[in-house]
Amino acid sequence: MKLKLIAIFSFAFLLAACEDPAANKPRATVTDPAGNASSNSDAPSTESAKGEALALTPANTTVTFIGSKVTGRHEGGFTMFTGTIDLVNGNPAESSVSVEIDLNTLYSDDPKLTDHLKSADFFEVAKFPKATFRSTRIEPGGKAGDNYLVTGDLEMRGQLKTVSFPLKIDVTSTDVTVKAGFVINRKDFGMVYPGKADDLIRDDVSILMDSKVLRRK
């Protein structure tokens, strides 16, 4: 009986380890920049919009990720980045956001994995030390608690793509809070680990952002 219980618990643990942490997250839409629908003449211009410049810093924002393989998962993030929310008329739909991430500050829950993620197999940090995102459209809409859809240009590992993803934005008289949790495919940005070992690594990676920025009084 004892051996049977051990076998049951071991099997349950294996099933839990194999679960895909990206399975229940909304998937970002990724296209080449030429396919960016927000480039039409009816789109609001983020270049000309100037509002309240709110700084995104590691003190008020976290940018993290969760990746997985068939045998488990790993968590990580970035400790250094800069960004700005250009809040126009207190309305997210009139506003824009830009972020620049220092990929040299990438970390994970395993030092060996951290080094591997910085290598040419993945982020290739020595050649591409930064990732940047600039929104081109923020529009109402979303589900599962999200209330906006953000579209913008994401450049990472030398690959420039237009991405659209949902997030939750709340604006009050004192602060702006932003929460996002979505999935991107690492292979869209050329992150392919050579060899059969790549088959064990799931393509989907969860990206999470949590920010609370105080407004000037």
Side-chain angles (χ1 to χ4, degrees):
M1 178 61 73
K2 185 176 181 180
L3 290 176
K4 185 176 181 180
L5 287 174
I6 292 174
I8 291 173
F9 282 122
S10 298
F11 182 66
F13 177 79
L14 180 60
L15 285 178
C18 292
E19 289 180 357
D20 185 355
N24 298 318
K25 293 280 194 306
R27 183 180 298 275
T29 300
V30 180
T31 62
D32 290 330
N36 183 358
S38 67
S39 63
N40 64 62
S41 58
D42 295 328
S45 172
T46 57
E47 290 293 335
S48 60
K50 294 297 179 184
E52 236 180 297
L54 307 177
L56 298 171
T57 72
N60 59 30
T61 302
T62 59
V63 180
T64 57
F65 61 83
I66 302 173
S68 67
K69 51 187 177 180
V70 295
T71 56
R73 56 184 268 169
H74 289 285
E75 299 182 14
F78 308 92
T79 61
M80 289 298 295
F81 49 85
T82 58
T84 303
I85 298 174
D86 187 16
L87 182 65
V88 179
N89 298 322
N91 181 5
E94 298 180 44
S95 306
S96 63
V97 61
S98 60
V99 180
E100 182 178 282
I101 299 174
D102 181 353
L103 297 180
N104 284 291
T105 68
L106 180 152
Y107 68 89
S108 76
D109 52 17
D110 182 327
K112 290 184 178 180
L113 174 62
T114 298
D115 290 340
H116 194 189
L117 289 175
K118 290 181 178 181
S119 76
D121 289 339
F122 293 99
F123 285 93
E124 198 168 0
V125 172
K127 186 175 180 181
F128 306 105
K130 295 180 180 179
T132 60
F133 175 79
R134 179 178 177 80
S135 70
T136 54
R137 183 192 292 272
I138 301 176
E139 53 192 332
K143 54 185 179 180
D146 298 313
N147 57 358
Y148 285 92
L149 182 69
V150 175
T151 298
D153 294 324
L154 174 61
E155 185 168 7
M156 184 165 58
R157 202 179 183 276
Q159 303 285 329
L160 179 63
K161 301 288 184 178
T162 293
V163 299
S164 296
F165 55 89
L167 76 172
K168 182 174 177 57
I169 306 174
D170 288 315
V171 179
T172 71
S173 60
T174 58
D175 57 56
V176 176
T177 59
V178 180
K179 292 182 182 294
F182 60 92
V183 171
I184 62 172
N185 187 320
R186 62 186 173 89
K187 290 181 178 178
D188 285 335
F189 295 90
M191 297 186 190
V192 181
Y193 181 29
K196 291 185 178 181
D198 190 62
D199 296 337
L200 302 176
I201 304 170
R202 292 190 172 104
D203 296 342
D204 289 338
V205 179
S206 297
I207 306 296
L208 302 101
M209 177 180 176
D210 196 335
S211 180
K212 184 173 183 178
V213 186
L214 297 180
R215 299 178 66 180
R216 298 190 187 97
K217 295 184 178 180

